[in-house]
Amino acid sequence: MSHSFCFLDDIATADLAFDASGDSLQELLHGATCAVIDAMADPSTVGSAWRKSVERTEEDPAELLFDWLSDLVYWKDADGVVFSTFTLTITCGDDGSWHLKGELCGESVNGLVQVLRNDVKGITKHLYHVRQKGMCWHARVVVDV
């Protein structure tokens, strides 16, 4: 499986935008998560002493991605952390709903050892979309910084 993301210039003034893609919904979420984590801090400079398990269930894959990325912003603010790694598993239930089970790893913000980038304030619905074309999934996300 593979995923990717790229930051976009001149899409949203005073915000940060990116496109993500993956060859499955899980890989799409993986790529989008990497983009948000990378927007906050260089993950290679962040430890993993802090851990948080997250579970989400949504009927709409676009809402699942939005809620998951919003969880990253929430935990950054609530616990004052940035992230180094994460795991996530996506399954589709018999009723067609999507279930995400993930774990975020990171540590408290420390500008003396971490390369901090942006104070992400939220995930927006501006220009937001998630689409599946054949076997590939694509998303555009604008992040309020």
Side-chain angles (χ1 to χ4, degrees), residues 27 29 86 88 111 129:
E27 289 300 316
L29 268 76
F86 65 95
L88 62 85
H129 68 261

Side-chain angles (χ1 to χ4, degrees), residues 62-75:
E63 288 302 312
L64 185 66
L65 174 61
F66 186 86
D67 289 348
W68 166 250
L69 296 179
S70 295
D71 282 338
L72 273 71
V73 178
Y74 172 80
W75 289 112

Side-chain angles (χ1 to χ4, degrees), residues 4-86:
S4 66
F5 71 88
C6 67
F7 291 105
L8 306 170
D9 294 327
D10 302 324
I11 294 292
T13 305
D15 287 328
L16 182 67
F18 66 87
D19 283 341
S21 63
D23 60 6
S24 67
L25 180 59
Q26 181 166 315
E27 289 300 316
L28 171 67
L29 268 76
H30 190 93
T33 304
C34 288
V36 172
I37 287 174
D38 196 68
M40 292 180 189
D42 178 348
S44 69
T45 66
V46 178
S48 59
W50 180 93
R51 294 179 181 271
K52 182 69 179 176
S53 295
V54 177
E55 290 194 45
R56 290 258 175 210
T57 300
E58 293 287 346
E59 291 182 18
D60 181 358
E63 288 302 312
L64 185 66
L65 174 61
F66 186 86
D67 289 348
W68 166 250
L69 296 179
S70 295
D71 282 338
L72 273 71
V73 178
Y74 172 80
W75 289 112
K76 175 205 55 102
D77 290 337
D79 282 7
V81 298
V82 286
F83 309 101
S84 55
T85 61
F86 65 95

Side-chain angles (χ1 to χ4, degrees), residues 91-98:
T91 55
C92 187
D94 294 337
D95 62 356
S97 65
W98 296 92

Side-chain angles (χ1 to χ4, degrees), residues 86-129:
F86 65 95
T87 59
L88 62 85
T89 303
I90 307 291
T91 55
C92 187
D94 294 337
D95 62 356
S97 65
W98 296 92
H99 183 74
L100 177 148
K101 188 173 189 176
E103 182 178 59
L104 299 168
C105 301
E107 69 181 351
S108 296
V109 172
N110 181 347
L112 297 175
V113 297
Q114 299 160 345
V115 177
L116 302 174
R117 294 184 172 139
N118 297 286
D119 182 15
V120 174
K121 295 178 178 91
I123 308 302
T124 74
K125 293 279 181 139
H126 178 64
L127 302 174
Y128 180 78
H129 68 261

